[in-house]
Each structure stands twice: as structure tokens, then as C-alpha cells.
């Protein structure tokens, strides 16, 4: 088993913070705690009852564990050290366990600050008089129960995250069948959270968040979830860790594509490129990749199926107020999230092309903008399709007599409001994210990356708090002036980030880690 | 003529034995009925133009990928992940974990590879002049190529597969790599399979050639016999592919 | 152990279109006969010869096998390979090379339509002219 230990250490060293300086982990942990505390004090959800800080900690860690491990797996498949690692003379299961265990260790590292923040939030809330303090024994019992649950659930979440590699290797039909439930896993906490917040009329109303129930859940997870994960790990090791027999890594396969097809396209584009603005050409170059991915059969089927699902939801939802609000709140959440995550991970995914990209003779601003435009247009296309299908669904409801004209206009107003709101937030987030390159300038600034990166996943919480709140009086209409104010304040700020990012775009070529170690050596 | 080592090994299983390998990707034929043997103790050059299917073939031989049809045997056992212990692969266009320093990587390698030879690693580190402190991601291509070769050769694996060990490597590094390979081969215990474009660098080293083009075997040659008929490796390559 | 001689000249050019071990045998043989490599000298190991010239070790091994068969070198187990000290063997090898050289010389004369003696005669007169 010595091999396993070394492999775990190798995997762990990849993202190990202590390699980047002695105080780095402490600084990051503290800033994470402060950030979470601020969010906890600011938002209504986590301070609703004495249990809620811990419930939210569970949600956060679950999503983080799945996200970290699946992103790790997705990126691993494109990394240049993949072939080396896969040719280690150890069984695939051992390699996979090494990945799992090291990810688990990272997630446990993350658990400490999150739990610390939860406990602090509890005490702050008690101080502020939001709820009555628990007796010391009860508090310890609750903390212990939730901690145990987190520790039991993390291996499950990590395994589920690693299982993303199965999706990559799965056949087309299987992929389609698995895709939707798999995405649901990610947002599972968000769904439970919204159910909870809806039913939070009284503080103690929910029995199943009581420590006793949580302990039972942990036990159940241990007895059912762990054996399932054990099997799943074997399956991933057997199926998910294989290399495509083709020439390169999958990104190479994506870009190389079919020769006949490529020449056909380039013929067409060569007639277009005559005297077009450089921005348009660069944008086309970017978007071509999206087009290629879109040709994947699973995505084609998803594209066909999604409008109908949304239309059906709108058909049933728009006949009552809560339904319309729920649609307005959640419909566009995923595309914006998708856009921001894509934007963040783009620089690491496309590192290989980056030096080529930056050597183009166009201005950096144009290069940056064309990338932003690709993400924006793609996300907007999804948003528009969703909006149109929702509208179609609602109108069908009117025609079949399910909804009244008044209900319809109410639903459509909120839909329009949320459409504009999410478009605005997508634009703002994508522009703000460009400051990323500026922040690479110094290690102190890179800490600011964390809140910036969190902006994408968290934007919907902000929106739901201020713009489309849960507790609306019946028949309330959206506050359009708020929308106006946001665009007046946020848009200029966000646009400022573009030139700032463009100026330091080249920093994305540097590997921050090597830079850090060089300065350390000097 | 003195009896010659190459010809007396028929009793042992071949280091690599490929039978009827076929591979298709997106309707494009990558490998088409590839069959050949590589006897133990030989240094075989796998030559062919870009896109001939060399890398795919080497992936299949090392067990990282599987063919659509056909079978590969490594020392008489079917190729696959289980055989990774008896072969040492230098993958094409791949890099070692870039976040580590050379020293750290070598420590990890010592734990990862059960057949790691620490003394050999140190000897090769001198011979290939790989310095221990530098970070892998900050190394030049030539340096990293030498480190990758060092990793491959410091194992006791009897079969060594190098996929384009010279891409982007400067002249001096190339000579160093070639001479390290020679040093390893001299013991006679190891078999080398090397895919490369740099024929001139390697042609004096090869004792067998497998020429593949468009996914098919275009020739299997004994280099000594080629020279007897007055041809060099390079002229044979031109003859087949020009 | 430092070798006061070189087994092959530094700038020895290998012709990749001919068997390499034959080229090696030929060159080393001449150097032994001419005394450039003195009798009793120790030869580098097969490995060093191969690594030094960048050739396949079997080529180097074959070179030594061939030289050993001719009796020009001797291998003592555990000590290494040495140039023979038997003058008779070296003398015999010299005769072989001399015969070969004469044969070539005669062939060259033949292509000019004269005898070898005539060619030598010409050389004598020619060098007298220059002096």
C-alpha cells in the first residue's frame, strides 16, 4: 500500500496551499471565514434558526465537494501530465483512490473554516438576539451531529464528482439519461434549501433538521451511500479513466475534428473574412468551438427537449402566483452560473492556445472582448430560448383556458423582469471577471479572486434577496427602478474591468506557482 | 559468421507482439491490420510521417488505449493496465506534474514505481545533467525531455517505449538522450521501441525498423541487412514514403 | 585507466549505408597494424565504444567479435579486451591488408591501361621532376 500513500501525496501536492508559502493557508482560511460570516449576517437564510448556519454549511460543502472533484476530473482529462499518470504501474482503482483521498483531504481542509464560520455565526446571532441560545450540551450535540454528517457525506460527494468522467465516456443515450440527474446533484442543496426556506414559517417547524435526525441520516448515508460509492469507484476506475485511442487529449480531438467538415467551413469563412473587423473574426474563431461542441448528439437532444420541458413548467406554473415567481427566480439561474463558471475556467482550459491567442496582432482589448462575447452570446442564447419557451408555455395555458389573462400578464411581467435582470447580471459578472487578469499582478491581489469567483454561484442568492424576494404580498409587481439603479451603478464599474483586464491579459500566460517559487528562491 | 544474439532468441516470447490491430476514430481508419514482433533486447525504430498512427499504436501497446480489433502481447501476456509494471513509457507531448520540483518528483517517482532504481536515477541525473531544484513547469523543453527520459530509464522495466523523445529538444540534449539510451541498451536486458522523426540522430542506434504510413505497416527491416544492400535508414525511409 | 591512444580517430565518419561494424573493424585493424594502437593496449568496453560513437551496442560487440576472430584482440575474463602482443598475428594481418592494397593498386593501374610497374615508374620520374 506504500504506492497508494505516495500517489495520494502526489495528488494532494497539486493543490496544496502550504506549498505556496507558510501563511497562505491561514490567510485564505481566515478570509473565507470572514466572507462566509459576512454573507451569513447579511442574508436572511442562514440566521433563521440556530440550526441554519450548520444546514447551510452542509449545503455549501456538498456543492463544493462535488464541484471541486468533478472539475478536477474534467481538467485532468485535458492535462498534459495525464498520460504520465495513467502509465504509472498501479491499478486504475488505486489511481482513482489516490485522487479521491487527496480530494477528500482538501475538502476536509475546507470543512474547518466553514464549520468555524458556522459556529461564529451562531454566536453572533445569539448575541444579536435573533434566536434563543441553546444549552451548552445541546449545542455541542448539534455541532457534533452536523460535523459527523458532513464528514460522512464528503466521500459520497467526492465520488459523485469523480463520476463525471463516466459521463464523458458514456454512450450518447446513456449520457442523455444521466446528464439531467447529474446536474440535479449539484444543485440538490439549493433545491432543498428553497424548500426549507419556503416552509420556514416557524423556527422549529422542521423536524428532520434536528440533530437526532441528522445523526440517523449520517448513519443511513454510511450504510447505503458508502457501499454504493465503493461500487461506483470500481465502475469509474474501469470505465472512466480510459484514454481515447485517438491522437491527442480530448481538446485536441475537439479542435482537430473532421477534415472534410473543417474545410467546408473554412471555405465559407474565407469568403466572409475579406474586410471584416478583427473583432468579428476573432469572435467567429472563438464561437466555432462552441458550434463544434453543440454538434454533440447529447447536446442536440438536450436543445430539442429543453424548450418543451420549460414550456410545460410554464404551462402549469403560470396559473398561480407562487409558480410564476418560482419560474422567474430560477429559470435563468443556471445559464448565468454556467457562463460565469465557463469564464473562470476558460483561462486554465485554454492555456495551451493562450500564447498563440495573445500573439495575434489585434489589441488585447479586442482579444479579451471576443472571448467575453463568445461566453455572453452562448449564455444569452440559452436564456433567450428558455424565455421564449416559457412564454410559449404560458400562452398555451391561456389558450387552453388553464390561466386567466390577468394571471398571464402577471407571469409575463415577472418573466420579463427576471429576463432583463439576469441578462444584466450576466453582463456585469462576465465583465467583472475580466479583472481576474489585473488581479494576477500581485499575490496580495489574487486573494480578491475568491469573492470574484464566488460572484457567479452566489449571484442568484443576491438576486433572490433583493429583486425577487420570497415574501411578496399577493400580486406584487417588480420594482423596475431597482433594475435601473443597478444598471447605472454596476454597468460602468463592470465595464471599467475590461480595459484593466485587457492591459494585464498577458499575465494569464504566467504560471502563478512557478512565479511564487522563483521569488521564494531568490 | 559468429552466432548472433539477435537470431538466437526465438525461444523467448517477443517483447511486443502485435496481431491484426485495427482502430477507427470517427470513421477515419487510424490503424489498419498492424502486425509485427519486437524481439527482446532489440532497439526498434518506429518510423513514419506525421499522422501515420504511431502514437495511437504506442498507446495501445502500452495498454492505455484499446484497439477495435486485434491483440497485443507484452512478453507473452496480453497488453493492458496490468502490464504497465513491465514497461516504461515516455508519452508523446506529455509533461510531468508541473507543480513539483525535480527533486520532489524524483522522490514521488521512487514511491510510485516499484521497480525504481535510485542509484541509476542519480547516475542518470549526472549524465543527463538535470538539476534538482528547478520547477518542472519552469523547465525548458530540452530539460524536461531529459527529465522524462531519466524517469523512464531509472526503472528496471524490461521494455522501454519512447514516443517522440526528441520533439523540440536541442542538439546537445538529443545527443545526451541518445547516448543515455545506448548505455542502457548495452546490458542487453532491455528492449527499446522508439518512435521518432529524428532519423539522423538515431539511425546508427536502430537494429530494426518498423515503417508505418497511413495506419499500415509499410516495411519491417533489419538495419544490418539494409546496410548490406547499400541502403541507409534514411534512404530506405525516403524510398518508402517519398 | 587512461588510454594514450584513440581507438578510432575523433573525426571518424560513419557511412550509414554500409555495415557499420565492418567500417569499425577495418579502421581499428589499420590502426593496430600501423602501431597507432600499441600491442597490449586495453580497449574500451563495448558499452563505452557504443555510447561514445552513438551506435547500437550490438554493432560494437560485433566489431570486437570480428577482431577477436582475426586474433588481433584478446579478451581476458574479468580484465577486459586487449590488443594482442603476438607480432606474428599482427604481421599476418598486415600482409592481408598489404595484399588488398596491392590488389587495389593493380586495379587502378588496370583502369588506366598500364601495369602496376609502369605506374610506379611514373611516380619515380614524376617526383624527380618536382625535385
Amino acid at each position: 500500500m506504500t504506492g497508494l500513500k505516495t500517489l495520494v501525496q502526489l495528488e494532494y501536492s497539486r493543490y496544496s496551499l502550504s506549498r505556496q508559502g507558510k501563511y497562505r493557508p491561514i490567510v485564505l482560511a481566515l478570509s473565507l471565514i470572514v466572507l462566509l460570516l459576512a454573507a451569513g449576517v447579511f442574508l436572511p437564510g442562514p440566521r433563521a434558526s440556530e440550526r441554519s448556519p450548520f444546514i447551510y454549511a452542509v449545503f455549501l460543502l456538498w456543492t463544493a465537494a462535488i464541484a471541486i472533484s468533478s472539475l478536477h476530473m474534467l481538467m485532468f482529462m485535458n492535462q498534459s501530465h495525464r498520460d504520465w499518470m495513467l502509465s504509472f504501474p498501479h491499478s486504475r482503482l488505486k489511481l482513482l483512490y489516490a485522487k479521491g483521498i487527496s480530494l477528500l483531504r482538501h475538502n476536509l481542509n475546507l470543512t474547518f473554516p466553514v464549520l468555524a464560520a458556522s459556529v461564529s455565526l451562531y454566536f453572533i446571532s445569539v448575541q444579536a438576539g435573533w434566536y434563543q441560545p441553546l444549552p451548552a450540551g445541546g449545542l455541542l450535540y448539534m455541532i457534533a451531529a452536523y460535523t459527523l454528517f458532513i464528514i460522512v457525506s464528503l466521500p459520497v460527494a467526492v465520488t459523485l464528482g469523480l463520476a463525471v468522467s463516466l459521463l464523458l465516456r458514456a454512450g450518447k443515450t446513456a449520457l442523455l439519461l444521466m446528464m439531467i440527474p447529474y446536474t440535479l446533484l449539484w444543485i440538490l442543496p439549493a433545491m432543498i434549501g428553497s424548500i426549507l426556506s419556503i416552509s420556514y414559517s416557524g423556527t422549529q417547524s422542521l423536524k428532520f433538521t434536528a440533530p437526532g435526525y441528522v445523526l440517523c441520516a449520517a448513519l443511513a448515508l454510511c450504510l447505503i451511500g458508502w457501499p454504493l460509492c465503493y461500487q461506483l469507484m470500481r465502475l469509474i476506475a474501469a470505465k472512466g479513466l480510459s484514454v481515447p485511442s485517438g491522437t491527442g487529449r480530448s481538446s485536441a480531438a475537439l479542435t482537430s475534428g473532421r477534415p472534410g467538415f473543417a474545410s467546408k467551413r473554412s471555405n465559407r469563412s474565407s469568403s466572409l473574412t475579406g474586410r471584416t473587423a478583427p473583432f468579428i473574426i476573432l469572435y467567429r474563431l472563438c464561437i466555432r468551438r462552441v458550434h463544434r461542441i453543440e454538434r454533440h448528439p447529447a447536446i442536440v437532444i438536450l436543445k430539442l427537449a429543453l424548450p418543451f420541458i420549460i414550456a410545460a413548467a410554464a404551462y402549469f406554473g403560470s396559473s398561480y402566483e407562487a409558480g410564476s415567481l418560482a419560474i422567474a427566480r430560477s429559470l435563468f439561474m443556471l445559464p448565468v452560473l454556467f457562463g460565469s463558471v465557463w469564464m473562470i475556467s476558460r483561462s486554465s482550459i485554454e492555456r495551451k492556445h493562450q500564447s498563440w491567442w495573445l500573439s495575434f496582432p489585434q489589441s488585447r482589448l479586442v482579444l479579451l472582448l471576443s472571448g467575453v462575447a463568445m461566453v455572453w452570446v452562448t449564455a444569452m442564447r440559452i436564456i433567450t430560448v428558455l424565455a421564449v419557451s416559457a412564454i410559449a408555455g404560458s400562452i398555451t395555458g391561456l389558450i387552453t383556458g388553464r390561466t386567466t389573462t390577468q394571471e398571464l400578464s402577471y407571469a409575463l411581467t415577472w418573466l420579463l423582469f427576471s429576463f432583463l435582470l439576469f441578462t444584466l447580471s450576466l453582463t456585469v459578472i462576465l465583465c467583472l471577471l475580466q479583472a481576474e487578469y489585473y488581479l494576477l499582478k500581485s499575490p496580495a491581489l489574487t486573494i480578491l479572486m475568491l469573492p470574484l469567483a464566488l460572484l457567479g454561484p452566489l449571484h442568484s442568492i443576491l438576486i433572490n434577496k433583493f429583486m425577487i424576494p420570497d415574501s411578496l404580498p399577493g400580486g406584487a409587481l417588480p420594482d423596475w427602478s431597482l433594475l435601473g439603479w443597478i444598471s447605472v451603478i454596476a454597468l460602468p464599474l463592470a465595464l471599467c474591468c475590461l480595459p484593466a483586464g485587457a492591459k494585464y491579459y498577458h499575465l494569464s500566460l504566467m504560471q502563478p506557482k512557478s512565479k511564487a517559487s522563483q521569488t521564494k528562491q531568490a | 559468421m559468429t552466432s548472433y544474439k539477435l537470431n538466437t532468441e526465438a525461444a523467448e516470447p517477443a517483447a511486443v507482439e502485435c496481431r491484426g490491430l485495427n482502430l477507427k476514430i470517427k470513421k477515419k481508419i487510424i490503424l489498419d491490420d498492424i502486425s509485427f514482433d519486437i524481439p527482446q533486447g532489440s532497439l526498434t525504430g518506429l518510423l513514419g510521417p506525421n499522422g501515420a498512427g504511431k502514437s495511437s499504436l504506442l498507446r495501445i501497446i502500452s495498454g492505455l488505449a484499446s484497439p477495435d480489433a486485434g491483440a497485443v502481447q507484452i512478453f507473452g501476456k496480453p497488453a493492458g493496465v496490468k502490464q504497465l509494471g513491465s514497461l516504461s513509457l515516455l508519452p508523446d507531448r506529455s509533461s510531468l506534474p508541473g507543480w513539483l520540483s525535480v527533486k520532489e518528483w524524483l522522490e514521488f517517482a521512487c514511491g510510485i514505481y516499484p521497480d525504481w532504481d535510485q542509484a541509476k536515477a542519480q547516475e542518470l541525473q549526472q549524465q543527463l545533467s538535470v538539476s534538482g531544484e528547478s520547477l518542472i513547469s519552469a523547465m525548458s523543453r530540452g530539460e524536461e525531455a531529459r527529465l522524462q527520459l531519466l524517469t523512464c530509464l531509472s526503472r528496471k522495466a524490461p521494455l522501454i517505449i519512447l514516443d517522440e523523445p526528441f520533439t523540440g529538444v536541442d542538439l546537445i540534449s538529443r545527443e545526451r538522450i541518445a547516448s543515455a539510451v545506448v548505455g542502457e541498451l548495452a546490458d542487453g536486458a532491455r528492449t527499446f521501441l522508439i518512435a521518432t522523426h529524428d532519423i539522423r540522430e538515431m539511425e546508427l542506434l536502430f537494429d530494426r525498423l518498423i515503417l508505418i504510413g497511413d495506419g499500415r505497416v509499410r516495411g519491417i527491416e533489419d538495419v544490418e541487412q539494409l546496410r548490406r544492400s547499400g541502403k541507409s535508414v534514411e534512404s530506405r525511409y525516403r524510398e518508402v514514403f517519398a | 585507466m587512461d588510454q594514450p591512444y584513440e581507438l578510432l580517430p575523433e573525426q571518424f565518419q560513419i557511412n550509414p549505408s554500409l555495415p557499420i561494424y565492418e567500417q569499425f573493424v577495418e579502421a581499428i585493424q589499420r590502426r593496430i597494424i600501423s602501431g597507432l594502437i600499441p600491442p597490449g593496449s586495453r580497449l574500451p568496453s563495448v558499452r563505452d565504444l557504443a555510447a561514445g560513437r552513438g551506435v547500437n551496442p550490438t554493432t560494437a560487440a560485433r566489431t570486437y567479435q570480428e577482431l577477436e576472430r582475426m586474433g588481433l584482440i584478446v579478451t581476458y575474463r574479468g580484465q577486459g579486451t586487449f590488443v594482442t602482443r603476438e607480432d606474428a598475428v599482427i604481421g599476418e594481418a598486415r600482409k592481408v591488408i598489404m595484399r588488398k592494397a596491392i590488389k587495389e593498386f593493380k586495379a587502378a593501374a588496370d583502369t588506366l591501361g598500364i601495369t602496376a610497374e609502369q605506374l610506379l615508374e611514373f611516380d619515380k620520374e614524376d617526383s624527380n621532376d618536382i625535385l
Side-chain angles (χ1 to χ4, degrees), chain A residues 444-473:
Chain A
L445 283 175
T446 41
I447 290 176
L448 285 176
M449 293 278 287
L450 190 67
L452 204 61
L454 282 176
L455 201 64
L458 292 181
H459 78 281
S460 52
I461 297 175
L462 295 175
I463 284 178
N464 288 346
K465 172 159 163 57
F466 291 110
M467 310 301 287
I468 317 178
D470 299 327
S471 51
L472 273 179

Side-chain angles (χ1 to χ4, degrees), chain A residues 22-194:
Chain A
K22 224 173 170 181
Y23 302 106
R24 193 73 169 257
I26 302 170
V27 170
L28 272 176
L30 283 179
S31 45
L32 186 64
I33 291 176
V34 169
L35 202 77
L36 288 175
L37 265 185
V41 172
F42 185 62
L43 297 172
R47 59 173 202 221
S49 81
E50 69 276 1
R51 286 175 203 154
S52 29
F54 300 98
I55 298 174
Y56 275 84
V58 171
F59 294 164
L60 197 64
L61 288 168
W62 170 270
T63 309
I66 293 195
I68 291 172
S69 43
S70 57
L71 278 179
H72 169 80
M73 201 64 174
L74 286 176
M75 275 155 73
F76 172 69
M77 285 309 185
N78 279 315
Q79 224 102 45
S80 58
H81 56 257
R82 185 196 65 188
D83 281 4
W84 264 103
M85 292 215 164
L86 288 182
S87 62
F88 288 164
H90 296 283
S91 71
R92 290 289 142 92
L93 193 62
K94 208 190 242 183
L95 294 184
L96 190 67
Y97 270 123
K99 276 193 188 308
I101 292 171
S102 83
L103 287 169
L104 201 60
R105 272 173 67 182
H106 281 298
N107 280 309
L108 284 176
N109 292 346
L110 190 63
T111 305
F112 289 115
V114 171
L115 272 179
S118 302
V119 174
S120 327
L121 182 61
Y122 167 81
F123 283 113
I124 289 176
S125 306
V126 169
Q127 284 293 312
W130 286 326
Y131 39 74
Q132 291 299 308
L134 286 172
L139 177 65
L140 282 180
Y141 178 46
M142 185 177 73
I143 294 177
Y146 274 97
T147 311
L148 189 70
F149 183 79
I150 288 172
I151 290 171
V152 168
S153 68
L154 280 182
V156 179
V158 168
T159 312
L160 288 174
L162 290 175
V164 76
S165 61
L166 285 180
L167 287 182
L168 291 181
R169 294 279 164 273
K172 285 156 195 168
T173 42
L175 178 63
L176 189 73
L177 285 176
M178 296 291 294
M179 191 78 131
I180 294 165
Y182 191 77
T183 1
L184 288 184
L185 277 178
W186 276 61
I187 49 168
L188 187 67
M191 294 187 326
I192 299 176
S194 56

Side-chain angles (χ1 to χ4, degrees), chain A residues 200-270:
Chain A
Y200 252 133
S201 40
T203 45
Q204 300 289 340
S205 64
L206 285 166
K207 271 193 299 188
F208 60 84
T209 60
Y213 279 88
V214 172
L215 277 181
C216 288
L219 188 68
L221 210 54
C222 220
L223 289 178
I224 301 165
W226 282 20
L228 278 179
C229 284
Y230 175 72
Q231 292 300 329
L232 193 57
M233 287 293 264
R234 299 177 78 88
L235 188 67
I236 301 169
K239 297 272 167 64
L241 271 184
S242 63
V243 183
S245 343
T247 40
R249 291 170 276 282
S250 55
S251 69
L254 267 180
T255 40
S256 64
R258 284 159 292 180
F261 170 74
S263 62
K264 208 167 70 192
R265 296 285 296 198
S266 60
N267 282 344
R268 213 180 73 188
S269 71
S270 64

Side-chain angles (χ1 to χ4, degrees), chain A residues 13-14 19 80-81 90 246, chain B residues 25 93-95 99 104 112:
Chain A
S13 68
R14 175 85 208 273
R19 294 171 56 83
S80 58
H81 56 257
H90 296 283
Chain B
I25 294 170
R93 278 179 298 169
S94 194
S95 60
W99 61 94
E104 286 171 313
I112 288 167

Side-chain angles (χ1 to χ4, degrees), chain C residues 88-101:
Chain C
V89 177
I90 297 179
E92 202 53 46
R94 187 181 290 120
K95 277 183 195 160
V96 173
I97 299 252
M98 280 161 73
R99 283 191 199 107
K100 208 171 145 196

Side-chain angles (χ1 to χ4, degrees), chain B residues 175-188:
Chain B
E175 284 176 358
R176 282 214 171 107
I177 289 175
S179 100
V181 168
V182 176
E184 281 315 303
L185 195 67
D187 310 335

